PDB file of all heavy atoms in Angstrom:
ATOM      1  N   ASP A  30     -37.500 -45.715 -29.571  1.00 95.00           N
ATOM      2  CA  ASP A  30     -36.599 -44.583 -29.424  1.00 95.00           C
ATOM      3  C   ASP A  30     -35.199 -44.993 -29.124  1.00 95.00           C
ATOM      4  O   ASP A  30     -34.193 -44.446 -29.613  1.00 95.00           O
ATOM      5  CB  ASP A  30     -37.119 -43.537 -28.463  1.00 95.00           C
ATOM      6  CG  ASP A  30     -38.356 -42.843 -28.949  1.00 95.00           C
ATOM      7  OD1 ASP A  30     -38.746 -42.963 -30.149  1.00 95.00           O
ATOM      8  OD2 ASP A  30     -39.074 -42.191 -28.117  1.00 95.00           O
ATOM      9  N   GLU A  31     -35.102 -45.934 -28.103  1.00 96.00           N
ATOM     10  CA  GLU A  31     -33.741 -46.426 -27.681  1.00 96.00           C
ATOM     11  C   GLU A  31     -33.004 -47.055 -28.894  1.00 96.00           C
ATOM     12  O   GLU A  31     -31.739 -46.806 -29.111  1.00 96.00           O
ATOM     13  CB  GLU A  31     -33.953 -47.393 -26.563  1.00 96.00           C
ATOM     14  CG  GLU A  31     -34.256 -46.758 -25.227  1.00 96.00           C
ATOM     15  CD  GLU A  31     -34.644 -47.779 -24.176  1.00 96.00           C
ATOM     16  OE1 GLU A  31     -34.476 -49.032 -24.457  1.00 96.00           O
ATOM     17  OE2 GLU A  31     -34.995 -47.346 -23.059  1.00 96.00           O
ATOM     18  N   LYS A  32     -33.737 -47.958 -29.588  1.00 96.00           N
ATOM     19  CA  LYS A  32     -33.105 -48.646 -30.722  1.00 96.00           C
ATOM     20  C   LYS A  32     -32.712 -47.716 -31.834  1.00 96.00           C
ATOM     21  O   LYS A  32     -31.626 -47.800 -32.432  1.00 96.00           O
ATOM     22  CB  LYS A  32     -33.999 -49.738 -31.319  1.00 96.00           C
ATOM     23  CG  LYS A  32     -34.387 -50.811 -30.273  1.00 96.00           C
ATOM     24  CD  LYS A  32     -33.245 -51.632 -29.820  1.00 96.00           C
ATOM     25  CE  LYS A  32     -33.654 -52.644 -28.785  1.00 96.00           C
ATOM     26  NZ  LYS A  32     -32.495 -53.393 -28.268  1.00 96.00           N
ATOM     27  N   THR A  33     -33.592 -46.718 -32.053  1.00 95.00           N
ATOM     28  CA  THR A  33     -33.262 -45.736 -33.107  1.00 95.00           C
ATOM     29  C   THR A  33     -32.093 -44.887 -32.703  1.00 95.00           C
ATOM     30  O   THR A  33     -31.189 -44.531 -33.559  1.00 95.00           O
ATOM     31  CB  THR A  33     -34.499 -44.817 -33.339  1.00 95.00           C
ATOM     32  OG1 THR A  33     -35.585 -45.692 -33.758  1.00 95.00           O
ATOM     33  CG2 THR A  33     -34.227 -43.817 -34.416  1.00 95.00           C
ATOM     34  N   ARG A  34     -31.992 -44.499 -31.477  1.00 96.00           N
ATOM     35  CA  ARG A  34     -30.848 -43.699 -30.929  1.00 96.00           C
ATOM     36  C   ARG A  34     -29.567 -44.537 -31.110  1.00 96.00           C
ATOM     37  O   ARG A  34     -28.540 -43.958 -31.568  1.00 96.00           O
ATOM     38  CB  ARG A  34     -31.075 -43.360 -29.474  1.00 96.00           C
ATOM     39  CG  ARG A  34     -29.960 -42.705 -28.759  1.00 96.00           C
ATOM     40  CD  ARG A  34     -29.360 -41.372 -29.279  1.00 96.00           C
ATOM     41  NE  ARG A  34     -30.159 -40.434 -29.854  1.00 96.00           N
ATOM     42  CZ  ARG A  34     -29.775 -39.606 -30.860  1.00 96.00           C
ATOM     43  NH1 ARG A  34     -28.562 -39.643 -31.368  1.00 96.00           N
ATOM     44  NH2 ARG A  34     -30.616 -38.695 -31.363  1.00 96.00           N
ATOM     45  N   GLU A  35     -29.550 -45.780 -30.811  1.00 96.00           N
ATOM     46  CA  GLU A  35     -28.340 -46.641 -30.964  1.00 96.00           C
ATOM     47  C   GLU A  35     -28.012 -46.683 -32.491  1.00 96.00           C
ATOM     48  O   GLU A  35     -26.769 -46.627 -32.815  1.00 96.00           O
ATOM     49  CB  GLU A  35     -28.608 -48.048 -30.383  1.00 96.00           C
ATOM     50  CG  GLU A  35     -28.708 -48.095 -28.945  1.00 96.00           C
ATOM     51  CD  GLU A  35     -28.998 -49.502 -28.463  1.00 96.00           C
ATOM     52  OE1 GLU A  35     -28.192 -50.422 -28.808  1.00 96.00           O
ATOM     53  OE2 GLU A  35     -29.991 -49.718 -27.693  1.00 96.00           O
ATOM     54  N   PHE A  36     -28.992 -46.855 -33.330  1.00 95.00           N
ATOM     55  CA  PHE A  36     -28.669 -46.917 -34.789  1.00 95.00           C
ATOM     56  C   PHE A  36     -28.073 -45.525 -35.185  1.00 95.00           C
ATOM     57  O   PHE A  36     -27.084 -45.601 -35.889  1.00 95.00           O
ATOM     58  CB  PHE A  36     -30.003 -47.116 -35.560  1.00 95.00           C
ATOM     59  CG  PHE A  36     -29.879 -46.967 -37.034  1.00 95.00           C
ATOM     60  CD1 PHE A  36     -29.178 -47.938 -37.779  1.00 95.00           C
ATOM     61  CD2 PHE A  36     -30.346 -45.822 -37.696  1.00 95.00           C
ATOM     62  CE1 PHE A  36     -29.053 -47.744 -39.154  1.00 95.00           C
ATOM     63  CE2 PHE A  36     -30.181 -45.696 -38.976  1.00 95.00           C
ATOM     64  CZ  PHE A  36     -29.579 -46.659 -39.755  1.00 95.00           C
ATOM     65  N   ILE A  37     -28.621 -44.411 -34.802  1.00 94.00           N
ATOM     66  CA  ILE A  37     -28.073 -43.043 -35.164  1.00 94.00           C
ATOM     67  C   ILE A  37     -26.640 -42.959 -34.674  1.00 94.00           C
ATOM     68  O   ILE A  37     -25.823 -42.398 -35.357  1.00 94.00           O
ATOM     69  CB  ILE A  37     -29.018 -42.007 -34.601  1.00 94.00           C
ATOM     70  CG1 ILE A  37     -30.388 -42.012 -35.358  1.00 94.00           C
ATOM     71  CG2 ILE A  37     -28.338 -40.640 -34.685  1.00 94.00           C
ATOM     72  CD1 ILE A  37     -31.448 -41.095 -34.818  1.00 94.00           C
ATOM     73  N   ASP A  38     -26.277 -43.473 -33.447  1.00 96.00           N
ATOM     74  CA  ASP A  38     -24.960 -43.376 -32.982  1.00 96.00           C
ATOM     75  C   ASP A  38     -23.987 -44.128 -33.819  1.00 96.00           C
ATOM     76  O   ASP A  38     -22.965 -43.650 -34.114  1.00 96.00           O
ATOM     77  CB  ASP A  38     -24.958 -43.968 -31.501  1.00 96.00           C
ATOM     78  CG  ASP A  38     -25.593 -43.080 -30.468  1.00 96.00           C
ATOM     79  OD1 ASP A  38     -25.874 -41.875 -30.808  1.00 96.00           O
ATOM     80  OD2 ASP A  38     -25.892 -43.593 -29.416  1.00 96.00           O
ATOM     81  N   ILE A  39     -24.465 -45.328 -34.340  1.00 95.00           N
ATOM     82  CA  ILE A  39     -23.548 -46.065 -35.274  1.00 95.00           C
ATOM     83  C   ILE A  39     -23.367 -45.275 -36.590  1.00 95.00           C
ATOM     84  O   ILE A  39     -22.243 -45.142 -37.084  1.00 95.00           O
ATOM     85  CB  ILE A  39     -24.181 -47.425 -35.544  1.00 95.00           C
ATOM     86  CG1 ILE A  39     -24.139 -48.310 -34.342  1.00 95.00           C
ATOM     87  CG2 ILE A  39     -23.432 -48.130 -36.717  1.00 95.00           C
ATOM     88  CD1 ILE A  39     -24.888 -49.649 -34.430  1.00 95.00           C
ATOM     89  N   ILE A  40     -24.425 -44.671 -37.077  1.00 92.00           N
ATOM     90  CA  ILE A  40     -24.314 -43.945 -38.336  1.00 92.00           C
ATOM     91  C   ILE A  40     -23.398 -42.723 -38.130  1.00 92.00           C
ATOM     92  O   ILE A  40     -22.571 -42.407 -39.008  1.00 92.00           O
ATOM     93  CB  ILE A  40     -25.720 -43.489 -38.814  1.00 92.00           C
ATOM     94  CG1 ILE A  40     -26.607 -44.686 -39.166  1.00 92.00           C
ATOM     95  CG2 ILE A  40     -25.619 -42.465 -39.967  1.00 92.00           C
ATOM     96  CD1 ILE A  40     -26.022 -45.543 -40.330  1.00 92.00           C
ATOM     97  N   ASN A  41     -23.591 -42.024 -37.021  1.00 92.00           N
ATOM     98  CA  ASN A  41     -22.747 -40.886 -36.755  1.00 92.00           C
ATOM     99  C   ASN A  41     -21.237 -41.250 -36.587  1.00 92.00           C
ATOM    100  O   ASN A  41     -20.385 -40.464 -36.920  1.00 92.00           O
ATOM    101  CB  ASN A  41     -23.241 -40.193 -35.403  1.00 92.00           C
ATOM    102  CG  ASN A  41     -24.462 -39.343 -35.622  1.00 92.00           C
ATOM    103  OD1 ASN A  41     -24.760 -39.025 -36.786  1.00 92.00           O
ATOM    104  ND2 ASN A  41     -25.188 -39.149 -34.613  1.00 92.00           N
ATOM    105  N   ASP A  42     -20.921 -42.466 -36.047  1.00 93.00           N
ATOM    106  CA  ASP A  42     -19.545 -42.920 -35.877  1.00 93.00           C
ATOM    107  C   ASP A  42     -18.938 -43.321 -37.231  1.00 93.00           C
ATOM    108  O   ASP A  42     -17.789 -43.046 -37.474  1.00 93.00           O
ATOM    109  CB  ASP A  42     -19.510 -44.171 -34.886  1.00 93.00           C
ATOM    110  CG  ASP A  42     -19.766 -43.699 -33.471  1.00 93.00           C
ATOM    111  OD1 ASP A  42     -19.730 -42.453 -33.152  1.00 93.00           O
ATOM    112  OD2 ASP A  42     -20.089 -44.548 -32.641  1.00 93.00           O
ATOM    113  N   GLU A  43     -19.703 -43.975 -38.092  1.00 91.00           N
ATOM    114  CA  GLU A  43     -19.151 -44.531 -39.301  1.00 91.00           C
ATOM    115  C   GLU A  43     -19.345 -43.670 -40.562  1.00 91.00           C
ATOM    116  O   GLU A  43     -18.590 -43.893 -41.504  1.00 91.00           O
ATOM    117  CB  GLU A  43     -19.843 -45.940 -39.527  1.00 91.00           C
ATOM    118  CG  GLU A  43     -19.485 -46.900 -38.484  1.00 91.00           C
ATOM    119  CD  GLU A  43     -19.954 -48.302 -38.775  1.00 91.00           C
ATOM    120  OE1 GLU A  43     -20.501 -48.613 -39.919  1.00 91.00           O
ATOM    121  OE2 GLU A  43     -19.871 -49.178 -37.891  1.00 91.00           O
ATOM    122  N   HIS A  44     -20.229 -42.763 -40.570  1.00 88.00           N
ATOM    123  CA  HIS A  44     -20.435 -41.811 -41.681  1.00 88.00           C
ATOM    124  C   HIS A  44     -20.524 -42.645 -43.021  1.00 88.00           C
ATOM    125  O   HIS A  44     -19.640 -42.352 -43.960  1.00 88.00           O
ATOM    126  CB  HIS A  44     -19.378 -40.778 -41.786  1.00 88.00           C
ATOM    127  CG  HIS A  44     -19.265 -39.947 -40.572  1.00 88.00           C
ATOM    128  ND1 HIS A  44     -20.201 -39.044 -40.156  1.00 88.00           N
ATOM    129  CD2 HIS A  44     -18.312 -39.881 -39.614  1.00 88.00           C
ATOM    130  CE1 HIS A  44     -19.896 -38.450 -39.111  1.00 88.00           C
ATOM    131  NE2 HIS A  44     -18.694 -39.005 -38.690  1.00 88.00           N
ATOM    132  N   PRO A  45     -21.401 -43.600 -43.222  1.00 86.00           N
ATOM    133  CA  PRO A  45     -21.424 -44.384 -44.448  1.00 86.00           C
ATOM    134  C   PRO A  45     -21.905 -43.630 -45.684  1.00 86.00           C
ATOM    135  O   PRO A  45     -21.640 -44.019 -46.786  1.00 86.00           O
ATOM    136  CB  PRO A  45     -22.357 -45.489 -44.120  1.00 86.00           C
ATOM    137  CG  PRO A  45     -23.323 -44.932 -43.158  1.00 86.00           C
ATOM    138  CD  PRO A  45     -22.482 -43.984 -42.291  1.00 86.00           C
ATOM    139  N   ALA A  46     -22.586 -42.465 -45.451  1.00 79.00           N
ATOM    140  CA  ALA A  46     -23.113 -41.702 -46.568  1.00 79.00           C
ATOM    141  C   ALA A  46     -23.415 -40.251 -46.086  1.00 79.00           C
ATOM    142  O   ALA A  46     -23.466 -40.071 -44.892  1.00 79.00           O
ATOM    143  CB  ALA A  46     -24.413 -42.312 -47.088  1.00 79.00           C
TER     144      ALA A  46
END
Side-chain angles (χ1 to χ4, degrees):
D30 291 345
E31 289 171 3
K32 301 297 180 183
T33 302
R34 171 57 36 213
E35 290 179 54
F36 171 76
I37 290 171
D38 290 342
I39 291 172
I40 296 298
N41 286 338
D42 290 343
E43 296 187 6
H44 304 289

